[in-house]
Amino acid sequence: MMDDFKLEPKNQKSNLDIKNQKKKRKKVSSLIKKRRDDDLEKVLNSDIIFGLDNGATGTISCLIPYDKNNIKIYFEKTFSHVDLDYQKDINYIARIDWEKLKDWFNKIIKKAKTNYIRKYNKEDIKISVILERPMINADRFKQSKNAARAFESTLMVLEMLELEKNYIIIDSKKWQHYFFGKNTVLIDLKEASKNKGIEYLTNLNEKRYKNELNTIKQHGDADSLLICRWAFEKFC
């Protein structure tokens, strides 16, 4: 009779729990695959590629592959301004200058579309924007807060430009592993990024990109440019 009342061990999962977990994993896997497919469709064969290094003190870039012999590059420090923080203590924070960022996007897109139409007789222009995922770390609250604010400001600009369906979000490891290999622990990524950006623009046209090269040297890295180049070489 005691066998009829035998209890299952606490660590033994019921068949129903196992089935539910399998369903959840399958659903998550399906959502991840769909997001990857959607991201690929957004970036594949783009005519204008924007790359944005996250934060208010990073850089922004654009790569326009008109043809194999004519690749136009834009590279700028992120447009920002310093304001008082809204806390009890007197502190200052760097914030995205959304008006300048919006104008920068508009000018590049307008000029690129004109060139595509006049020189290449192409009117259907595909635009993609590659955003680096902001750093969110509970142990670095202040930096995480600023990164999230900058990210939200950028998303609002994209919405104003009606580019809310044109952007994808990537981890920095995506482009870093592409250029520097998976073992980046012993690499000075900032220095490596700077050197890779200088090498790329020098090979393209050193005289044409004199200002951009100076900006890379002054800023100390070329992250946003490498984000553009990663997308271009992988998907275009």
Side-chain angles (χ1 to χ4, degrees), residues 52-56 94-98 101 105 131-136 143-161 164 167 169:
L52 283 77
D53 180 18
N54 182 58
R95 298 178 60 203
I96 296 288
D97 190 326
W98 66 267
L101 182 60
F105 269 101
L131 302 174
E132 199 174 60
R133 182 172 283 111
M135 179 206 68
I136 303 297
Q143 294 91 331
S144 297
K145 180 186 70 172
N146 293 341
R149 291 176 69 166
F151 186 72
E152 181 64 22
S153 295
T154 302
L155 292 184
M156 290 174 68
V157 168
L158 295 179
E159 289 171 0
M160 285 187 277
L161 294 166
E164 66 271 15
Y167 71 83
I169 301 167

Side-chain angles (χ1 to χ4, degrees), residues 166-228:
N166 298 67
Y167 71 83
I168 69 169
I169 301 167
I170 66 168
D171 285 319
S172 58
K173 290 179 181 178
K174 286 277 188 183
W175 62 268
Q176 289 171 355
H177 289 175
Y178 178 78
F179 289 109
F180 310 119
K182 290 187 176 181
N183 188 16
T184 58
V185 178
L186 301 177
I187 297 175
D188 183 342
L189 287 171
K190 194 173 181 69
E191 184 70 15
S193 170
K194 181 184 75 173
N195 293 335
K196 183 69 72 172
I198 290 172
E199 178 188 31
Y200 181 56
L201 291 186
T202 300
N203 290 337
L204 276 181
N205 192 321
E206 187 173 4
K207 289 184 179 180
R208 183 182 187 184
Y209 294 117
K210 181 180 179 181
N211 291 335
E212 287 79 4
L213 285 165
N214 286 335
T215 302
I216 291 174
K217 293 171 184 175
Q218 290 169 8
H219 181 72
D221 70 58
D223 288 2
S224 63
L225 175 58
L226 297 187
I227 291 171
C228 285

